[in-house]
Amino acid sequence: MSDRIKGTALIAGASGIVGNNLARHLVAEGWNVLGLARRPVDIEGVTPVTADLTDPASLRAALSDLAPTHVFITTWMRQATEAENCRVNGAMVRNLLDALQAAPLRHVALVTGLKHYLGPFEAYGKGTLPQTPFREDQDRLPVENFYYVQEDEVFAGAERQGFGWSVHRPHTIVGYALGNAMNMGVTLAVYASLCRETGRPFLFPGSSQQWNGLTDVTDARLLARHLAWASTDPAAANTAFNVVNGDVFRWSWMWGRIAEWFGLEPAPYPGSPTPLEEQMAQDGPVWAELAKRHGLVESDLDRLASAWHTDADLGRPIEVVTDMARSRRLGFLDYQPSDDSFLDLFGRLRAEKVIP
């Protein structure tokens, strides 16, 4: 990356799976990086900025003396209903952009996801869905969706404040982050560790369609590179993008790869879902004991595993694959083998004493 396109990046949600990996990538590329979160982030080379996106006054106070050129919105807050998701998450984007009206913004990047095509949690994978592979020019679904509200806030801010924008729609994100609400990779690592320690069968928890059908995922490291590219390459300005690794796989194959890494035999698929929320419902004390015995850094199972979200992804009754042609045409050619995404993550989790 040349000096011409480096700048000051403000990452909203720097402690999360996307923000954490993006911050590390931008620091390595020579950016000045500001990490915005409700609690101070501890990432080498990142200046922590503490504020609450739902509190306009705290944002104004925290950002008044800062001058970011690029903003990356990588966070959201889950609410009880989709109407509340729309209200709260739309306000978070609006509050952030309002607090930066005096900043020399060149570009704002928003990370959403494939619920753009699949629908929100309340109507997930239901009704008439676009054909797969999902493409960026497919129409919005006729339902409430907080991703649409977030997009509209970015579009309005761009009109008002004159910055360029990009929207990034990853599939399930695989990467390093702890305490994250949408973290399949860490959840599966914890589940596999529990199966190995207790002798329980390593059961694929999802649907037969996911076990047998094709799918894809998004490595957080590739997503970080995609965000940096779209935010600095003029060809990518004012565009929405899907972001996936570039390969496809079947879970019937990937499950065996994961089992092998943990020294497990993959159990035969039981024929119907066996959700992780049910399988792991009583595992809090088991994990706490395991963490004590192995000297792990986190003994609270709820801080590591997001069984509900992994169940939602793996329990889909439909095929989910994603088209990346738009990025390829505009010059983003990165590729990441998906089994390496999982195995690299597991290696890091073990090295940092997150799993035994």
Side-chain angles (χ1 to χ4, degrees), residues 51 137 199 229 304 315:
D137 58 1
W229 163 75
L304 294 177

Side-chain angles (χ1 to χ4, degrees), residues 22 86 104 113 116 171 180 191 270 303-304:
L22 175 61
C86 291
H116 183 94
H171 196 171
N180 186 265
Y191 172 61
R303 289 248 326 136
L304 294 177

Side-chain angles (χ1 to χ4, degrees), residues 103-172:
L105 294 183
R106 298 181 211 159
H107 192 95
V108 172
L110 172 69
V111 179
T112 61
L114 294 196
K115 286 190 291 297
H116 183 94
Y117 309 108
L118 288 163
F121 291 115
E122 290 179 3
Y124 194 56
K126 299 175 182 176
T128 302
L129 300 176
Q131 285 188 328
T132 56
F134 295 137
R135 292 183 169 87
E136 297 93 342
D137 58 1
Q138 291 166 328
D139 292 336
R140 290 179 174 182
L141 300 175
V143 295
E144 284 188 308
N145 191 321
F146 78 87
Y147 284 168
Y148 304 160
V149 177
Q150 288 183 309
E151 284 187 347
D152 289 342
E153 291 292 349
V154 170
F155 302 156
E159 287 286 325
R160 185 173 61 247
Q161 294 165 248
F163 53 76
W165 56 267
S166 56
V167 175
H168 304 254
R169 299 169 186 158
H171 196 171
T172 301

Side-chain angles (χ1 to χ4, degrees), residues 6 24 36 42 49 52 56 95 107 166-167 217 254 270 282 294 300-301 324 334:
K6 292 174 184 172
R24 295 175 191 278
L36 174 63
D42 183 15
V49 179
D52 184 344
N95 293 342
H107 192 95
S166 56
V167 175
V217 294
M254 185 68 78
Q282 308 302 319
H294 291 277
D300 185 349
L301 180 63
M324 276 280 285
D334 280 20

Side-chain angles (χ1 to χ4, degrees), residues 3-324:
D3 290 339
R4 182 179 63 83
I5 56 176
K6 292 174 184 172
T8 297
L10 175 68
I11 302 174
S15 61
I17 189 170
V18 178
N20 180 298
N21 285 275
L22 175 61
R24 295 175 191 278
H25 174 71
L26 294 180
V27 167
E29 290 290 299
W31 289 63
N32 177 34
V33 181
L34 310 170
L36 174 63
R38 282 177 291 177
R39 291 177 291 276
V41 294
D42 183 15
I43 302 172
E44 185 175 356
V46 175
T47 301
V49 179
T50 306
D52 184 344
L53 290 171
T54 66
D55 183 348
S58 83
L59 280 171
R60 287 193 298 270
L63 301 177
S64 60
D65 295 328
L66 303 179
T69 56
H70 295 71
V71 170
F72 300 89
I73 303 172
T74 70
T75 188
W76 68 289
M77 291 180 63
R78 188 185 185 196
Q79 306 298 312
T81 66
E82 191 59 20
E84 279 297 289
N85 276 332
C86 291
R87 184 185 67 80
V88 171
N89 290 285
M92 287 164 55
V93 175
R94 184 169 60 253
N95 293 342
L96 177 61
L97 297 180
D98 284 350
L100 293 169
Q101 292 203 48
L105 294 183
R106 298 181 211 159
H107 192 95
V108 172
L110 172 69
V111 179
T112 61
L114 294 196
K115 286 190 291 297
H116 183 94
Y117 309 108
L118 288 163
F121 291 115
E122 290 179 3
Y124 194 56
K126 299 175 182 176
T128 302
L129 300 176
Q131 285 188 328
T132 56
F134 295 137
R135 292 183 169 87
E136 297 93 342
D137 58 1
Q138 291 166 328
D139 292 336
R140 290 179 174 182
L141 300 175
V143 295
E144 284 188 308
N145 191 321
F146 78 87
Y147 284 168
Y148 304 160
V149 177
Q150 288 183 309
E151 284 187 347
D152 289 342
E153 291 292 349
V154 170
F155 302 156
E159 287 286 325
R160 185 173 61 247
Q161 294 165 248
F163 53 76
W165 56 267
S166 56
V167 175
H168 304 254
R169 299 169 186 158
H171 196 171
T172 301
I173 299 170
V174 179
Y176 184 85
L178 305 182
N180 186 265
M182 302 167 69
N183 198 335
M184 176 190 284
V186 176
T187 300
L188 292 181
V190 169
Y191 172 61
S193 299
L194 285 164
C195 289
R196 191 183 63 196
E197 293 286 326
T198 63
R200 284 158 32 189
F202 186 55
L203 286 169
F204 179 71
S207 67
S208 60
Q209 288 88 344
Q210 293 303 307
W211 180 253
N212 294 309
L214 292 173
T215 192
D216 47 32
V217 294
T218 304
D219 192 299
R221 299 166 298 182
L222 180 137
L223 177 55
R225 298 193 295 273
H226 192 272
L227 283 158
W229 163 75
S231 298
T232 54
D233 190 325
N238 305 327
T239 307
F241 296 100
N242 296 328
V243 194
V244 287
N245 283 349
D247 62 358
V248 293
F249 62 89
R250 302 179 199 277
W251 275 105
S252 55
W253 173 80
M254 185 68 78
W255 204 247
R257 294 283 285 143
I258 294 173
E260 181 182 15
W261 195 92
F262 284 94
L264 296 167
E265 284 293 325
Y269 182 63
S272 60
T274 52
L276 291 180
E277 271 202 300
E278 297 174 8
Q279 290 195 55
M280 301 172 69
Q282 308 302 319
D283 280 340
V286 180
W287 183 262
E289 173 57 31
L290 186 154
K292 180 179 179 181
R293 182 162 17 103
H294 291 277
L296 304 183
V297 298
E298 179 56 70
S299 61
D300 185 349
L301 180 63
D302 291 335
R303 289 248 326 136
L304 294 177
S306 53
W308 67 274
H309 189 265
T310 299
D311 285 339
D313 278 356
L314 298 183
R316 297 175 183 136
I318 55 174
E319 175 188 73
V320 180
V321 289
T322 317
D323 181 72
M324 276 280 285

